[in-house]
Amino acid sequence: FRGTLGDNIALSQPSASTQALLEAASLVQLDTDLLQLPQGLDTAVGMGGLNLSGSQAARLNVARALLKSPDILILDNAL
């Protein structure tokens, strides 16, 4: 993890719109966390995701996967 929350979600689809990033965040209930952050998707993520809880990091990873709209998504202890 590095850059912003939006950058991290968009790793799977760099050309994704802000709306698509927010929709992916909403699917994994990361949107409520974004609302509490003054910079939302533009919030900087510390090196290695140090400023994210374990749950937030896991949900960010799932949002990244969902943004790509896979036909099949296999999760193993992701949430």
Side-chain angles (χ1 to χ4, degrees), residues 42-60:
D42 293 326
T43 300
V45 177
M47 187 58 100
L50 291 178
N51 58 339
L52 297 176
S53 71
S55 173
Q56 289 169 325
R59 288 182 284 146
L60 189 146

Side-chain angles (χ1 to χ4, degrees), residues 19-62:
Q19 184 61 33
L21 298 177
L22 291 171
E23 288 172 11
S26 178
L27 287 171
V28 297
Q29 298 180 356
L30 194 58
D31 54 338
T32 53
D33 295 324
L34 291 175
L35 291 174
Q36 295 176 359
L37 299 169
Q39 295 178 321
L41 287 172
D42 293 326
T43 300
V45 177
M47 187 58 100
L50 291 178
N51 58 339
L52 297 176
S53 71
S55 173
Q56 289 169 325
R59 288 182 284 146
L60 189 146
N61 282 320
V62 175

